[in-house]
Amino acid sequence: MSVVPPLIALAGGVVPGPLLNLMPELCPLKALLGSVFLYNMPHMVRVFYILKGGDKLDNINPREQVQKLCASGRGDMISKAQSAHQNGLESFPPFAAGVLAATIAGVPGSLVGQLCSTHLFARLGFNITYIWGKGDATAAIRSSFWVLSLLCSCQLIAAASKKLGSK
């Protein structure tokens, strides 16, 4: 499924206009900061659940602590938060590349700003449904948020490519 959004963008597919038009225009560089916040948010949720369970944070080997807590059967929320954090880290490079490429290429600011806000909305929805969601329906919604966020990143890159290709 991870190849679908880049292929859609490459073929000229875009985030649907009615959805995009609902989104405010964000400053692209502020959107990068928002993305950093959103990929770290699940990490802080993980920390909360570790402390809520009465454990101390192991700052010497935190990944081993997460593995042990998950193996003990007490780590469902910790595991989900860690996975959402990891996915956020994986989604940041294409988004950052898209934001920078579109900005440098001179893609219209309104399009860039709306794609940025749509990406952030999708990442927030992804985090919420990943960490607290249960069941197949919520998993499908989470996957839809993931596809939307990656499509925004790919559309930013495609728009930059189109703009530069026309010069």
Side-chain angles (χ1 to χ4, degrees), residues 4-102:
V4 172
L7 291 175
I8 291 171
L10 187 63
V14 296
V15 173
L19 173 62
L20 203 58
N21 291 333
L22 291 174
M23 298 298 160
E25 292 178 31
L26 289 181
C27 168
L29 298 179
K30 286 183 180 178
L32 290 176
L33 289 174
S35 186
V36 170
F37 172 80
L38 286 171
Y39 76 64
N40 279 300
M41 184 191 86
H43 172 73
M44 299 315 298
V45 170
R46 178 181 63 87
V47 167
F48 170 79
Y49 279 108
I50 289 172
L51 295 175
K52 182 180 175 188
D55 293 288
K56 290 183 180 180
L57 288 178
D58 181 352
N59 202 31
I60 295 170
N61 197 346
R63 292 178 185 186
E64 183 179 322
Q65 180 184 31
V66 169
Q67 289 175 345
K68 286 180 181 177
L69 288 170
C70 292
S72 74
R74 298 184 304 129
D76 183 50
M77 297 302 283
I78 294 167
S79 174
K80 290 168 106 180
Q82 180 63 25
S83 295
H85 172 64
Q86 184 63 42
N87 186 274
L89 290 171
E90 293 164 1
S91 78
F92 183 73
F95 178 62
V99 167
L100 295 175

